[in-house]
Amino acid sequence: MKILIIDNTGQISASLAEVEAEFDCLANEIQAFNILERLRPELVFLRYALRGEQTPDYIRLVANALPAASVIVVGEQTSEEGVLQCLLSGAKGFQELQDLRYYSFRLVQAVSRGEAWVSRRVVASLLDSVRQLMLENSYLKVH
């Protein structure tokens, strides 16, 4: 498996030390995007702090450039709304940085099988968001 890590601190790569994979690590998200198609990673770990509130926009760019890659956002005390926006933009999961070391192996396995990696609470919020979008769309069609 090929993994691209986009992180300017080195903390994500240190947390993934037990995962057996081919790693490319870049500190600059613009450079990473520019070589994304050449690297063709299956999994992209993205540090939320690099783009902050612009992270969902970056995820959409990555998803459009390389639809087969799964993006996992790694954050520190990221708001639930921030996590939801990342997931709605195409991320396949979110993990708090302080717990990444403990979950890294299972996270990589789950996402490799096509599963999402999010907490149950985030899944509930995501379902509420989808339901709200559906209600808004059905309201627009009726009126």
Side-chain angles (χ1 to χ4, degrees):
M1 166 173 284
K2 239 181 143 162
I3 297 176
L4 172 61
I5 299 169
I6 307 171
D7 177 20
N8 60 353
T9 67
Q11 292 175 302
I12 294 175
S13 58
S15 296
L16 296 175
E18 294 183 22
V19 175
E20 291 186 28
E22 179 183 335
F23 292 98
D24 287 297
C25 303
L26 293 164
N28 182 293
E29 72 279 11
I30 304 303
Q31 287 176 331
F33 182 76
N34 289 334
I35 63 170
L36 189 64
E37 289 181 351
R38 183 173 55 83
L39 294 177
R40 303 195 71 67
E42 297 164 69
L43 194 53
V44 176
F45 281 86
L46 172 63
R47 186 178 186 91
Y48 184 86
L50 283 174
R51 302 293 295 184
E53 292 179 4
Q54 296 174 341
T55 302
D57 296 328
Y58 186 82
I59 292 167
R60 277 190 286 279
L61 290 172
V62 171
N64 287 335
L66 203 59
S70 296
V71 177
I72 302 297
V73 178
V74 179
E76 294 176 278
Q77 299 176 338
T78 306
S79 71
E80 190 170 302
E81 180 62 28
V83 173
L84 282 174
Q85 290 305 312
C86 290
L87 295 170
L88 291 170
S89 296
K92 295 289 197 260
F94 176 84
Q95 179 62 58
E96 286 287 337
L97 178 63
Q98 72 267 13
D99 297 327
L100 181 59
R101 173 178 295 126
Y102 305 109
Y103 294 113
S104 62
F105 183 74
R106 286 188 294 179
L107 185 161
V108 170
Q109 283 185 323
V111 175
S112 296
R113 291 189 305 262
E115 299 175 19
W117 186 265
V118 292
S119 70
R120 289 180 180 98
R121 184 175 31 170
V122 171
V123 169
S125 295
L126 188 58
L127 291 172
D128 288 342
S129 295
V130 169
R131 188 186 81 234
Q132 185 62 37
L133 285 171
M134 290 175 65
L135 289 173
E136 290 171 6
N137 285 339
S138 65
Y139 175 80
L140 292 174
K141 289 178 183 176
V142 172
H143 293 91

